[in-house]
């Protein structure tokens, strides 16, 4: 299995003399199996040169996996040469969300207002696939997806073939602000402790990988001014990878303000942290043109095409109006929540205290509850406990997101009580919408 970097920068392309060593193009990575299966991860500006290379080599079929549709991950799509080449066939995958389809989003940036060639005028045969969380097969490569923590619905991709594992996880923020800001003080020979359930699941997603390509845009010192932007601190990434038993970590999605020497400084911070843990993890900074090869040791069994259980159809992506949400908050955040989610088309049932939220949940069987941790009468935690201990099967499983002030709640107690996730205040409308979309899709997939 081979991985080659074509674009390593985050947010916006940054070409110039100051970024020669690590590159100025935005996200694009090529992965190939020994048998020739081609996977392209994201289509930032680095996709331009990759496309030229693929056309020159005669490759005429591949799979493009898009993590999410923010500009720095799709701006190279209209310049990706294979899409303009007759007799080429490309399968394009990306996260589906309530009421949104990947094909429509990509077509939008190729309207005449923005680009002279529309999506329908491309010469290649192109097939679009909306994804949720799960596992499916591309040629001989098994792909597992997991939602990331970003202000847009985003997916990470775990690719396995012949005993080799490569994970691509960019544009992801720690779920625990404490872990992002500082993390545990490294102790020689110890394993980093991870408290938040979603961060634990992220470590499981990275588990045992030969290579993890991970968002590493900020340091812990920078993070207080970047909370909610949807990116990782390098300290968090190192700790996650050590806890997950990862062999190699590629620092990725370099901040556009960092010149080459600044990237080297970030790398030195990571190497020092690994030494403090006395861990075997190897860390390096992803650089354009860098290619890594991994020997495939065994052949995984082929999974039939029909097993693609996470491909989403029209019913999975039905309009948001098909979902009822109970929102309970007595404070100033209720108007923000009502505005952010109401604009999406959800049916919102509002409450200002815990008892009302519990009664409304029992009466309306919502798709999801968003509860303030501190409310009159019953707290959000007590509402979650009551739902989980009741006789109603739906309410024992319905996702419950608890809104908290960072550092004020016991997350371990919350998860033990049945809380699905935490949403730290202050938050933005984009964060709320994304978290709701992901939990609704997870709930739907669990019922399938």
């Amino acid at each position: 299995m081979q991985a080659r970097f074509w674009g390593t920068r985050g947010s916006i392309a940054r070409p110039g003399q100051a970024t020669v060593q690590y590159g100025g193009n935005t996200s694009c990575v090529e992965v190939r199996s020994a048998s020739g299966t081609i996977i392209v991860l994201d289509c930032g500006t680095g996709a331009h040169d990759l496309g030229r290379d693929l056309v020159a080599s005669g490759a005429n079929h591949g799979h493009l996996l898009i993590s999410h549709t923010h500009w720095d991950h799709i701006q190279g799509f209209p310049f990706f040469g294979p899409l303009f080449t007759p007799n080429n066939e490309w399968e394009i995958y990306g996260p589906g969300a309530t009421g949104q389809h990947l094909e429509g989003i990509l077509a939008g940036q190729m309207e005449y207002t923005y680009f002279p060639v529309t999506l329908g005028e491309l010469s290649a045969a192109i097939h679009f696939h909306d994804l949720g969380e799960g596992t499916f097969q591309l040629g001989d490569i098994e792909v597992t997806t997991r939602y990331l923590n970003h202000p847009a619905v985003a997916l990470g991709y775990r690719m396995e073939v012949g005993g080799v594992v490569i994970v691509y996880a960019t544009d992801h923020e720690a779920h625990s602000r404490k872990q992002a800001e500082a993390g545990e003080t490294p102790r020689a020979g110890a394993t980093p402790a991870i408290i938040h359930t979603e961060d634990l699941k992220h470590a499981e997603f990275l588990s045992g990988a030969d290579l993890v390509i991970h968002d590493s845009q900020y340091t812990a010192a920078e993070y207080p001014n970047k909370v909610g932007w949807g990116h990782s601190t390098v300290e968090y990434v190192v700790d996650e990878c050590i806890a997950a038993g990862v062999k190699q970590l590629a620092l990725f999605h370099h901040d556009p303000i960092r010149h080459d020497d600044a990237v080297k400084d970030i790398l030195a911070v990571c190497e020092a942290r690994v030494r403090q843990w006395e861990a075997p993890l190897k860390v390096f900074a992803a650089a354009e043109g860098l290619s890594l090869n991994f020997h495939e040791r065994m052949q995984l069994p082929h999974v039939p095409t029909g097993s693609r259980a996470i491909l989403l159809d029209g019913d999975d992506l039905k309009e948001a109006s098909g979902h009822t949400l109970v929102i309970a908050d007595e404070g100033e955040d209720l108007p923000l929540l009502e505005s952010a989610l109401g604009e999406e088309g959800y049916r919102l049932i509002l409450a200002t205290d815990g008892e009302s939220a519990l009664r409304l949940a029992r009466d309306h069987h919502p798709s999801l509850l968003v509860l303030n941790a501190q409310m009159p009468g019953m707290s959000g935690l007590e509402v979650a406990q009551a739902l989980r201990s009741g006789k109603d099967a739906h309410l024992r499983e319905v996702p419950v997101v608890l809104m908290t002030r960072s550092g004020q709640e016991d997350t371990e107690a919350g998860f033990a009580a049945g809380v699905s996730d935490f949403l730290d205040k202050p938050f933005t409308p984009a964060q709320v919408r994304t978290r709701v979309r992901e939990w609704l899709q997870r709930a739907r997939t669990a019922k399938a």
Side-chain angles (χ1 to χ4, degrees):
M1 202 177 198
Q2 180 189 57
R4 184 175 181 183
F5 296 93
W6 294 89
T8 62
R9 191 67 49 176
S11 301
I12 189 169
R14 178 78 191 283
Q17 294 182 346
T19 58
V20 170
Q21 182 172 354
Y22 296 105
N25 281 305
T26 54
S27 304
C28 185
V29 178
E30 175 190 10
V31 170
R32 293 190 185 221
S33 70
S35 69
T37 300
I38 299 173
I39 291 179
V40 176
L41 297 156
D42 274 333
C43 212
T45 58
H48 175 268
D49 285 355
L50 169 57
R52 288 172 59 88
D53 184 80
L54 291 170
V55 171
S57 71
N60 60 10
H61 181 264
H63 310 273
L64 171 57
L65 305 183
I66 294 175
S67 63
H68 65 300
T69 54
H70 279 168
W71 278 345
D72 51 328
H73 297 262
I74 63 171
Q75 276 186 315
F77 184 81
F79 301 92
F80 188 54
L83 303 181
F84 292 83
T85 307
N87 300 318
N88 263 242
E89 185 173 8
W90 280 80
E91 308 288 337
I92 303 179
Y93 301 79
T98 304
Q100 294 187 324
H101 291 273
L102 177 64
E103 181 176 2
I105 295 171
L106 293 177
Q109 76 161 349
M110 294 181 69
E111 293 178 358
Y112 284 124
T113 303
Y114 311 109
F115 198 72
V117 180
T118 66
L119 184 64
E121 293 173 320
L122 296 175
S123 300
I126 304 172
H127 310 285
F128 292 92
H129 310 277
D130 295 289
L131 295 177
E133 286 187 326
T135 300
F136 65 110
Q137 198 82 16
L138 298 180
D140 58 339
I141 300 178
E142 183 180 78
V143 180
T144 300
T145 59
R146 174 165 173 76
Y147 288 126
L148 304 176
N149 187 20
H150 194 64
V153 178
L155 287 172
Y157 296 100
R158 179 184 174 100
M159 295 151 286
E160 304 184 44
V161 62
V164 177
V165 177
I166 296 176
V167 179
Y168 181 80
T170 190
D171 291 54
H172 173 72
E173 183 172 354
H175 287 266
S176 167
R177 288 188 186 177
K178 290 181 180 178
Q179 191 166 352
E181 290 173 349
E184 186 180 4
T185 301
R187 293 173 289 112
T191 299
I194 301 173
I195 302 301
H196 199 291
T197 295
E198 288 297 302
D199 288 325
L200 282 168
K201 291 179 180 178
H202 188 66
E204 292 172 4
F205 183 64
L206 310 180
S207 179
D210 296 274
L211 172 66
V212 168
I213 303 165
H214 204 291
D215 177 356
S216 310
Q217 191 155 346
Y218 304 129
T219 65
E222 295 167 334
Y223 183 69
N225 293 322
K226 312 292 185 180
V227 172
W229 290 27
H231 297 287
S232 293
T233 64
V234 293
E235 293 85 352
Y236 163 73
V237 176
V238 166
D239 287 3
E240 284 274 307
C241 286
I242 290 174
V246 170
K247 298 178 179 65
Q248 294 190 61
L249 165 63
L251 305 178
F252 190 71
H253 209 268
H254 307 309
D255 196 285
I257 69 170
R258 297 199 207 284
H259 48 68
D260 287 332
D261 286 343
V263 174
K264 292 177 185 176
D265 291 341
I266 295 293
L267 176 59
V269 169
C270 294
E271 290 174 331
R273 192 168 183 88
V274 171
R275 287 195 297 271
Q276 288 177 303
W277 284 113
E278 291 188 356
L281 176 67
K282 177 183 178 182
V283 185
F284 63 94
E288 285 182 30
L290 176 63
S291 181
L292 302 170
N293 292 283
F294 302 89
H295 178 65
E296 295 177 19
R297 300 177 292 276
M298 52 177 276
Q299 187 63 40
L300 289 173
H302 178 70
V303 179
T305 300
S307 68
R308 293 178 175 177
I310 60 164
L311 297 182
L312 307 179
D313 58 24
D315 290 335
D316 293 313
L317 297 173
K318 67 180 181 179
E319 293 302 316
S321 58
H323 293 289
T324 299
L325 314 183
V326 167
I327 312 295
D329 187 281
E330 65 161 344
E332 60 186 14
D333 293 302
L334 193 57
L336 184 152
L337 291 163
E338 186 175 7
S339 173
L341 297 173
E343 291 174 0
E344 292 281 280
Y346 300 113
R347 179 188 176 217
L348 303 183
I349 301 177
L350 306 179
T352 56
D353 61 82
E355 287 93 342
S356 297
L358 181 60
R359 184 182 69 255
L360 291 169
R362 288 168 173 167
D363 290 344
H364 295 278
H365 274 209
S367 303
L368 180 144
L369 289 88
V370 181
L371 308 174
N372 193 5
Q374 301 299 325
M375 292 185 292
M378 294 180 70
S379 69
L381 192 65
E382 290 171 329
V383 174
Q385 289 174 317
L387 293 173
R388 300 315 190 208
S389 62
K391 297 180 179 180
D392 190 312
H394 172 80
L395 296 180
R396 289 199 301 268
E397 301 295 333
V398 65
V400 175
V401 177
L402 201 63
M403 297 179 289
T404 67
R405 293 286 176 186
S406 182
Q408 293 183 353
E409 297 299 321
D410 186 339
T411 55
E412 287 185 279
F415 289 122
V419 172
S420 306
D421 201 358
F422 288 84
L423 185 61
D424 286 335
K425 299 180 181 183
F427 44 72
T428 66
Q431 289 174 289
V432 174
R433 287 192 291 263
T434 299
R435 198 69 60 88
V436 166
R437 288 172 180 172
E438 291 177 350
W439 277 108
L440 288 174
Q441 191 55 55
R442 281 174 172 166
R444 185 177 182 87
T445 301
K447 291 180 180 179

